[in-house]
Amino acid sequence: MKSRRDELVDTALRLFYKQGFNATGIDKILSESGVAKMTLYKHFGSKDELILAALTRRDEQFLDWLTNAMETASPDPRAQLLSLFDALEKWFRGQAFKDLGFAGCAFINASGEFTDPDHPAHRLAKQHKQEIVDHLAKLCTKAGATDPETLAEQLALLKEGAIVTAHVRGITESARVAKTIATGLLDAALPA
């Protein structure tokens, strides 16, 4: 059974993800979670603290899901890098997080709503994106790339472009297009 805190965070994450951080009021979160306002403020001093808790939860969920999807696809690091885009396509089709579906990237959305780079939500979004680049760089190193950091940044750029295209334009196939481009990048950057 979930704790009241977990219920608040999960409800807030779902509502923030689907409706936006600023557009979602505390009363809506309380109503949908069934948690009292006093309980909310026992765990979180402000809406901003709840936003950070929701983003932290999403960071953990997403990174666990993505790294697991990549690792179970193949033991080969090159194949794992390409499987990133297969995982994205499942997410875009609403098959990765059934309770959330697909409403873009929570971290892109957060950085768009909290544009000050020093805002804690913006910093958390930046950290999340860097963690993915770091994971990709490790795989690029294992695959034998001579410049793993640059290759990881290129793959991350394809990933981000696919996410935005799927969200803004509704083109879920953007992950397959990105995978085709990534294949060319890997062919050029990795030993044969």
Side-chain angles (χ1 to χ4, degrees):
M1 183 170 158
K2 282 186 191 178
S3 70
R4 302 310 277 161
R5 184 186 189 284
D6 284 341
E7 189 62 45
L8 274 169
V9 172
D10 289 344
T11 301
L13 173 57
R14 180 175 48 80
L15 292 171
F16 291 150
Y17 184 61
K18 292 184 178 192
Q19 298 175 6
F21 297 93
N22 292 317
T24 302
I26 290 295
D27 289 340
K28 176 81 170 167
I29 295 167
L30 294 174
S31 171
E32 293 210 13
S33 67
V35 174
K37 190 175 274 192
M38 189 171 161
T39 302
L40 168 73
Y41 289 111
K42 174 183 166 191
H43 295 288
F44 305 101
S46 65
K47 181 180 175 183
D48 278 350
E49 286 183 21
L50 181 57
I51 288 170
L52 292 177
L55 284 171
T56 299
R57 170 81 40 91
R58 182 61 175 168
D59 176 60
E60 294 163 357
Q61 285 176 350
F62 190 85
L63 290 175
D64 286 348
W65 166 78
L66 184 63
T67 57
N68 185 53
M70 293 170 71
E71 288 168 4
T72 58
S74 172
D76 176 58
R78 182 185 190 282
Q80 287 181 16
L81 289 165
L82 290 174
S83 72
L84 161 70
F85 301 99
D86 299 328
L88 291 178
E89 187 169 1
K90 288 179 184 172
W91 177 37
F92 299 165
R93 295 184 185 282
Q95 298 166 347
F97 303 97
K98 291 182 178 28
D99 55 331
L100 293 176
F102 177 70
C105 171
F107 300 95
I108 293 172
N109 299 345
S111 67
E113 287 195 48
F114 304 102
T115 59
D116 179 352
D118 292 325
H119 189 283
H122 194 101
R123 286 196 319 263
L124 188 56
K126 180 180 177 180
Q127 175 188 322
H128 170 81
K129 297 299 183 180
Q130 187 60 53
E131 288 172 354
I132 292 174
V133 171
D134 293 346
H135 181 70
L136 295 175
K138 286 178 191 170
L139 289 174
C140 290
T141 299
K142 287 180 183 177
T146 55
D147 187 356
E149 289 78 20
T150 298
L151 182 56
E153 289 290 354
Q154 292 168 337
L155 294 170
L157 182 61
L158 289 172
K159 171 192 160 290
E160 298 303 327
I163 293 169
V164 172
T165 300
H167 184 224
V168 174
R169 297 180 56 206
I171 303 173
T172 58
E173 298 81 13
S174 63
R176 270 188 263 144
V177 173
K179 183 177 181 178
T180 300
I181 298 167
T183 300
L185 285 173
L186 294 177
D187 288 347
L190 299 179

